Amino acid sequence: MGVLNVTPDSFSDGGRFLDPADAIAHGLALVADGADVIDVGGESSRPGAEPVNPAEEQARVVPVIRALSSHVRVSVDTRHAEVAEAAIEAGATLVNDITASLHEVAAAHRVGWIAMHMQGDPRTMQDDPHYDAVVAEVRDHLVERAERARDAGVEEIWIDPGIGFGKDLGHNLDLLAHIVALVATGWPVVVGASRKWFLGRLLAESDGAAETVPTDDRLEGSLATATWAMAQGVRMVRVHDVRPTVHAAKVVAA
Ligand code: PMM
């Protein structure tokens, strides 16, 4: 799954694809690089991000989805039911739901649904997140959401641990180290760790640097995480750097 953020403020590609023509061209480039799904988002969910009015979010994503959906499967990354519905009308067939609460939209329109785990909301989620047992809590929450969606009639359901969404470095690493606990539920698993801050921290440590490496210098960490996840049975990875990840996926599969 290739990431396409049509936002001014996403942590990695914010501001690069606000013009629909630029966004569509980048989406097509990701398809040429081997993406099976393009995930189009119009509201940044980076820590501390301010919410976007759904009408504005919809205006950002709909033209891009309409253009890309004849070339590739498109998912819409949104928290808002009305944006998801407009995106589906424009051709999206998968709702990437960071709130794990929009299953009724997916059921009504007979499209796929990704339930992602988040503790809190993007504005405050990194203010001291707490779990007693992060892997079990995230797994149980996702299984409960997935079962609810199945009972509501959703036919294609994915679960995602929500790396970085109300999680500190240790939580992210625990979830990745024990990702097989999610795979073992039988629900197909998606992981999105591409270019996230915890990778910047780990890579800075190996460089002997104090804080972090910049987002566009986290490729090796992103690839290592995606490769690890796929080798553990994760079925989809959400990434910015599609071509190298597809290469890694081919080797893992072989
Ligand atoms: N991460 C981001 C946004 N959407 N969706 C899913 N399913 N999983 C994720 O990990 C995820 C997501 C934040 O990253 P971005 O700012 O690069 O889009």
Side-chain angles (χ1 to χ4, degrees):
M1 169 186 271
V3 179
L4 182 54
N5 287 319
V6 192
T7 59
D9 57 344
S10 289
F11 78 94
S12 168
D13 52 358
R16 285 184 59 201
F17 309 118
L18 253 187
D19 180 330
D22 294 341
I24 293 161
H26 185 64
L28 293 174
L30 296 179
V31 175
D33 284 347
D36 293 324
V37 180
I38 303 293
D39 186 41
V40 180
E43 179 185 50
S44 174
S45 51
R46 75 181 157 73
E50 287 299 321
V52 175
N53 153 356
E56 166 71 22
E57 185 188 347
Q58 185 171 319
R60 289 177 185 169
V61 298
V62 161
V64 177
I65 293 172
R66 208 179 289 291
L68 290 178
S69 59
S70 54
H71 299 274
V72 66
R73 184 171 200 197
V74 174
S75 64
V76 60
D77 186 338
T78 187
R79 303 192 281 164
H80 300 117
E82 61 266 50
V83 176
E85 281 172 342
I88 292 164
E89 194 276 322
T93 60
L94 185 59
V95 176
N96 178 20
D97 178 6
I98 66 165
T99 66
S101 63
L102 299 178
H103 59 276
E104 282 171 2
V105 176
H109 297 276
R110 305 185 69 85
V111 296
W113 181 62
I114 298 174
M116 195 198 80
H117 179 275
M118 169 164 61
Q119 187 179 83
D121 69 66
R123 248 181 305 186
T124 56
M125 66 191 178
Q126 291 307 106
D127 300 346
D128 199 21
H130 176 79
Y131 301 84
D132 292 323
V134 65
V135 176
E137 285 172 44
V138 168
R139 178 199 60 204
D140 293 351
H141 171 83
L142 291 172
V143 167
E144 186 260 315
R145 294 299 167 118
E147 288 174 351
R148 190 194 318 187
R150 179 195 56 203
D151 295 345
V154 184
E155 285 172 9
E156 180 190 353
I157 299 168
W158 298 76
I159 61 172
D160 181 332
I163 298 299
F165 285 84
K167 281 117 190 161
D168 65 20
L169 174 64
H171 298 141
N172 289 327
L173 292 177
D174 270 354
L175 284 164
L176 288 165
H178 302 288
I179 195 69
V180 74
L182 268 63
V183 172
T185 66
W187 297 102
V189 178
V190 189
V191 165
S194 179
R195 300 187 186 174
K196 285 187 177 168
W197 69 269
F198 79 104
L199 296 174
R201 278 273 298 281
L202 292 174
L203 299 176
E205 266 171 44
S206 90
D207 280 350
E211 285 289 324
T212 183
V213 301
T215 48
D216 59 1
D217 192 22
R218 298 177 184 170
L219 175 62
E220 300 87 344
S222 303
L223 279 177
T225 331
T227 304
W228 164 260
M230 292 186 286
Q232 300 293 308
V234 166
R235 297 264 299 277
M236 179 150 67
V237 287
R238 179 183 180 280
V239 303
H240 302 83
D241 302 290
V242 168
R243 185 168 181 271
T245 310
V246 170
H247 287 175
K250 297 259 185 242
V251 176
V252 172

